[in-house]
Amino acid sequence: MKMRKGGGNRIRVGIIGANPDRGWAAQPHIPALTPLSGDFEITALSTNRRESADAAGKLFGVPAAFDNHQDLVNNMNVDVVAVTVKVPYHLELATAALEAGKAVYCEWPLGNGLKEAETLAALAQKRGVLAVAGLQARSAPSVAYVRDLIEQGYVGEVLSTSLIGSGMGWGQTVELYNAYLNDKKNGATMLSIALGHTADALCYCLGEVRELSATMAVRRKTFTIAQSGETKPMTAEDQVGVSGLLQGGAAFSIHYRGGASRGTNLLWEINGTEGDLQLTASGGQAQIWEMDVRGGKGAQSSLELLPVPEQYRWAPPQGPGPSTNVAQAYARFARDYREGTHLCPTFNDAVTRHRMLNAIETAAATGQRQTFG
């Protein structure tokens, strides 16, 4: 895939979906990019209303603020388009950016289902531009560290891995602006977001899935809008259980539950012939919550905290919130853009993850074990 080299110049980013009040642009993307000013500058942003575009441009100090995405993707001062809107709009907006010949950083899930993701990956291949998906759990310092520990033989041969997590969302109550997550047809479900991000980290460290079985259920039939108390139907599954084998033969199991638990919200263990690793966090989405790493091997009879070495922190420190791993991802994006490396997950990598999620849905619906070639 040919790349447009950025040389020594800063990479110019245009952000689609830069709502001034809230959203994935204002929370992680802009705080992540700001301290990376040696590599990036935000030169444009867009929303779908003139008033919000002007407010965002003023708030974030961005010179070009548009009330439509087409002006942004065609702007000559934009090298990379960041798509940070809701999942149902990813196909249209990422397509526009790719057709304009821009590099793209599209948030995850890449598409509303496997077919849309495959369409975008094929277009990125055809256009020959860098197209990265926001699977930023791979960029978490703890995940990068554990991946290296596995490769260095810390646990020996991996025998099995087990993961239990809470969706954090998909519980009894939801903020009005997140209610769309509970409607399965929008493609922004607990399966695709919470499980998808964390399973991607698992496969990044341990290898892809060979075969799986799955069970999914909607246990909460309704949910409540926090602001109004209004009750609405829940159509996105709030229970997902998956088990099977990884390509290397290790057994794996994953169970995600909607909402937050008073007990365990993220526990991921890797068990091997020589040792064990454990990652824990106070929230169940590995792309957002910082994970602690513990390990033990050989004659050790218990786990000890393994502080993540500074070499796994590629971006300047971030404040509280979800921007740490996004900043880590952008630091790697800069290398991919300039040097043609493959450090960030591409649209093709995103298709691999979408295929896994699609297989989980098929296995749950049919009761039949799914295998991967």
Side-chain angles (χ1 to χ4, degrees):
M1 185 181 289
K2 61 182 183 293
M3 303 294 171
R4 292 179 57 201
K5 299 297 190 290
N9 300 325
R10 291 197 291 173
I11 301 165
R12 300 167 297 179
V13 182
I15 301 177
I16 299 178
N19 188 305
D21 301 320
R22 63 174 180 273
W24 206 239
Q27 288 180 303
H29 278 261
I30 292 172
L33 284 164
T34 301
L36 292 168
S37 57
D39 285 317
F40 296 97
E41 62 176 321
I42 304 171
T43 53
L45 51 81
S46 71
T47 68
N48 57 10
R49 292 186 301 110
R50 183 74 261 165
E51 296 82 2
S52 61
D54 289 341
K58 183 177 180 181
L59 176 65
F60 301 125
V62 177
F66 303 108
D67 61 359
N68 68 90
H69 69 273
Q70 206 61 53
D71 285 345
L72 183 144
V73 301
N74 290 330
N75 190 282
M76 293 188 64
N77 292 318
V78 171
D79 301 313
V80 176
V81 175
V83 179
T84 68
V85 298
K86 292 178 178 180
V87 179
Y89 305 104
H90 285 187
L91 177 64
E92 176 191 2
L93 300 177
T95 296
L98 292 169
E99 292 286 13
K102 307 294 187 182
V104 179
Y105 184 130
C106 183
E107 268 303 339
W108 173 264
L110 177 57
N112 186 350
L114 174 60
K115 185 177 179 181
E116 288 190 5
E118 290 176 332
T119 299
L120 286 170
L123 180 57
Q125 192 77 33
K126 178 182 175 183
R127 300 295 296 184
V129 295
L130 177 63
V132 162
L135 286 162
Q136 48 264 3
R138 293 190 187 199
S139 297
S142 55
V143 172
Y145 179 38
V146 165
R147 186 173 193 254
D148 278 357
L149 287 175
I150 296 294
E151 287 188 349
Q152 292 159 10
Y154 184 93
V155 303
E157 182 183 2
V158 177
L159 300 173
S160 67
T161 187
S162 52
L163 172 64
I164 187 168
S166 298
M168 310 313 287
W170 304 278
Q172 191 59 51
T173 60
V174 66
E175 299 294 320
L176 178 61
Y177 56 82
N178 276 335
Y180 92 110
L181 299 170
N182 293 348
D183 186 343
K184 186 173 181 175
K185 74 174 186 290
N186 289 321
T189 61
M190 187 181 72
L191 171 67
S192 66
I193 296 178
L195 188 151
H197 273 290
T198 311
D200 188 68
L202 185 154
C203 292
Y204 181 62
C205 291
L206 302 177
E208 293 298 332
V209 173
R210 178 198 297 174
E211 55 188 76
L212 63 80
S213 301
T215 300
M216 298 172 64
V218 181
R219 293 291 293 144
R220 292 183 177 90
K221 307 301 183 185
T222 62
F223 65 94
T224 303
I225 303 292
Q227 287 82 352
S228 65
E230 181 185 3
T231 298
K232 293 199 168 195
M234 171 88 85
T235 61
E237 287 91 350
D238 60 349
Q239 301 292 323
V240 181
V242 190
S243 64
L245 298 175
L246 301 178
Q247 291 289 356
F252 80 92
S253 66
I254 301 172
H255 181 199
Y256 258 81
R257 309 82 52 89
S261 170
R262 296 172 183 83
T264 301
N265 285 309
L266 184 64
L267 172 63
W268 173 20
E269 287 202 356
I270 302 164
N271 309 112
T273 55
E274 306 294 331
D276 304 287
L277 287 166
Q278 183 189 78
L279 292 90
T280 57
S282 57
Q285 299 197 31
Q287 80 282 14
I288 297 177
W289 273 269
E290 180 116 9
M291 292 183 285
D292 292 325
V293 180
R294 290 175 176 81
K297 62 178 180 175
Q300 290 175 275
S301 60
S302 60
L303 302 177
E304 63 179 10
L305 186 67
L306 302 179
V308 178
E310 284 302 308
Q311 72 195 66
Y312 295 100
R313 300 187 187 276
W314 314 302
Q318 299 282 310
S323 62
T324 292
N325 295 337
V326 177
Q328 293 268 111
Y330 270 117
R332 291 195 137 180
F333 185 101
R335 284 191 57 191
D336 287 353
Y337 184 81
R338 293 193 171 115
E339 302 170 26
T341 50
H342 178 192
L343 301 172
C344 288
T346 64
F347 280 15
N348 287 334
D349 296 318
V351 167
T352 298
R353 196 59 48 234
H354 272 288
R355 284 185 179 138
M356 176 184 174
L357 301 183
N358 192 65
I360 291 170
E361 290 190 291
T362 302
T366 64
Q368 295 177 347
R369 196 167 181 86
Q370 302 296 300
T371 57
F372 298 80

